[in-house]
Amino acid sequence: MKKISIFLIPITLFVLVSIFLYKGLYGDPRQLDSTVLNKPAPDFALPDLMQPDVIYDPSIFEGQVTLMNVWGVWCVTCAVELPYLTELSQQGVRIIGLYYDQDTDPDFGIKSIPTIQQEVTTKLAQLGNPYEFNVFDVKRDYSLDLGVTGAPETFLIDKQGVIRMHHIGDINTRVWRSKIAPLYNELMAQ
Amino acid sequence: MKKLILLFVLVTSPLWALEEAYNFDDPVKQKLFLELTQELRCPQCQNQNIADSDAMIAHDLRRKVYELLNEGKSRAEIVDFMKSRYGDFVSYQPPVTPLTIWLWLLPVIFVIGAAWFVLTQRKKQVNDFDEDVLAKADSLLEKEND
């Protein structure tokens, strides 16, 4: 009996440590639990990217299930997902963009707004335009409020303006079918 | 040589200008800024604090810390602000919860357990020696005496 326990304890420890490390091997450390989940989208007042006179606030989410896609022309993965997002929007999914630019550093203001608009127009003409409109997160404050760590990231927002999913990384057929579509359909049915 | 150094300084000074300089009137705030940027973790490049990281998000977080400090926010308020957006993850100082309490308890339990193990084993060894070997020795001695 005693001998068994002498072997059993190290083996149990080894198995536990192995499981822990094995999980770490395949887990994505960037996939953090979002703190905004199941909360109303934070308040904001931000301009339209193309018509800076138009100011949006969280009422844009009311009454419709929305995918809010955080992106920028400088982001390589965003360019990869644009064609698929365009396909989705053609199927009737409402997608709005939360645009932020790397080079408009609020402390220096390197890039002018017309330049950004030009870049965006070119990019969307090339790869497809899935966006109903783009909210321009000028100082990236709203991204910060949402806990965005980079681009692309996508938020699924329900008809009451509550954030129901935060997806980090690109959206492709696999991600859409396995992760987003089930909840999206459920929210649409409500 | 001096001219050369001067030339070097003049040529490279635009590079310095690109470094963000966050200056505070209050040295206490300056110190707090340095402490906070050391303690807050970059959500993008996760093994760096926001003082070290050059990721855009780290730039943004540094700027936010600067703004909040200038608004007169305290250390705890700023850490809470970050945690409410990026989770407990964003601070290198983990909170004590039923899950994380083991970080402190496990080492203590291990030390106590190991000490207990060593002590009981040692006692047993001494006892073993006493009973078995002494009995044998006694019997040997008896044989010798016969």
Side-chain angles (χ1 to χ4, degrees):
Chain A
M1 186 58 209
K2 210 175 120 196
K3 266 195 180 155
I4 294 176
S5 77
I6 282 176
F7 284 108
L8 216 59
I9 292 171
I11 287 176
T12 320
L13 281 176
F14 172 76
V15 168
L16 287 177
V17 169
S18 300
I19 291 172
F20 178 74
L21 293 178
Y22 185 82
K23 275 180 79 180
L25 206 55
Y26 293 100
D28 181 3
R30 287 195 52 215
Q31 209 65 256
L32 300 173
D33 294 334
S34 188
T35 51
V36 289
L37 222 55
N38 298 321
K39 287 181 195 157
D43 198 21
F44 68 94
L46 289 168
D48 187 290
L49 179 63
M50 294 304 167
Q51 302 153 286
D53 303 336
V54 183
I55 303 289
Y56 296 118
D57 61 38
S59 65
I60 53 172
F61 302 125
E62 275 167 24
Q64 293 180 79
V65 179
T66 309
L67 280 186
M68 182 165 66
N69 180 239
V70 184
W71 76 293
V73 291
W74 44 269
C75 150
V76 181
T77 318
C78 303
V80 175
E81 70 172 354
L82 265 179
Y84 187 69
L85 288 180
T86 307
E87 221 174 274
L88 284 180
S89 78
Q90 280 160 2
Q91 289 165 22
V93 179
R94 180 189 196 226
I95 302 175
I96 63 173
L98 181 68
Y99 191 86
Y100 72 92
D101 207 282
Q102 259 185 330
D103 296 331
T104 45
D105 194 317
D107 297 328
F108 299 100
I110 296 168
K111 210 187 264 180
S112 71
I113 291 180
T115 320
I116 297 172
Q117 289 172 342
Q118 186 55 47
E119 284 177 355
V120 170
T121 313
T122 316
K123 182 69 90 178
L124 292 180
Q126 255 173 19
L127 297 168
N129 181 4
Y131 304 112
E132 191 177 307
F133 55 83
N134 271 284
V135 179
F136 187 25
D137 192 7
V138 190
K139 290 189 170 182
R140 301 195 289 268
D141 276 335
Y142 196 50
S143 302
L144 214 140
D145 286 342
L146 287 167
V148 169
T149 61
E153 292 190 12
T154 304
F155 295 87
L156 178 57
I157 299 166
D158 70 13
K159 292 175 183 172
Q160 286 77 41
V162 176
I163 295 172
R164 302 298 297 266
M165 186 183 284
H166 179 182
H167 175 72
I168 295 176
D170 67 321
I171 293 183
N172 48 45
T173 319
R174 184 179 53 82
V175 170
W176 174 256
R177 288 209 184 129
S178 64
K179 187 177 171 185
I180 305 176
L183 184 58
Y184 175 83
N185 291 330
E186 192 186 307
L187 294 178
M188 284 301 276
Q190 279 174 11
Chain B
M1 190 60 195
K2 266 188 184 170
K3 272 186 187 167
L4 229 149
I5 292 174
L6 187 70
L7 187 73
F8 178 76
V9 168
L10 284 176
V11 168
T12 56
S13 55
L15 279 178
W16 305 348
L18 276 177
E19 285 281 325
E20 302 162 307
Y22 289 119
N23 293 312
F24 296 85
D25 303 330
D26 185 354
V28 178
K29 280 184 183 174
Q30 182 85 50
K31 193 166 163 280
L32 196 55
F33 178 79
L34 290 177
E35 280 175 20
L36 276 167
T37 51
Q38 296 279 334
E39 190 188 303
L40 292 170
R41 185 174 179 180
C42 170
Q44 175 79 26
C45 24
Q46 304 191 334
N47 293 322
Q48 284 184 306
N49 56 33
I50 61 170
D52 284 343
S53 173
D54 196 39
M56 189 166 56
I57 177 84
H59 281 267
D60 288 351
L61 292 186
R62 282 200 294 270
R63 197 179 62 247
K64 205 74 199 177
V65 170
Y66 177 72
E67 281 173 18
L68 292 173
L69 275 173
N70 274 337
E71 284 171 22
K73 294 273 195 304
S74 72
R75 178 199 188 86
E77 281 173 323
I78 294 173
V79 172
D80 282 349
F81 176 93
M82 294 300 173
K83 278 187 179 174
S84 71
R85 283 158 179 78
Y86 289 96
D88 290 334
F89 171 86
V90 82
S91 171
Y92 270 120
Q93 197 66 253
V96 181
T97 67
L99 195 71
T100 59
I101 189 80
W102 296 104
L103 291 173
W104 289 271
L105 281 185
L106 269 182
V108 175
I109 290 174
F110 180 78
V111 167
I112 293 174
W116 176 79
F117 183 76
V118 167
L119 283 177
T120 51
Q121 285 300 99
R122 188 180 287 169
K123 231 181 235 169
K124 209 178 279 172
Q125 263 175 11
V126 173
N127 288 342
D128 284 354
F129 182 81
D130 280 346
E131 286 167 18
D132 295 352
V133 180
L134 282 186
K136 215 180 225 175
D138 277 348
S139 72
L140 280 174
L141 279 172
E142 270 170 31
K143 260 184 201 167
E144 199 111 304
N145 286 343
D146 283 346

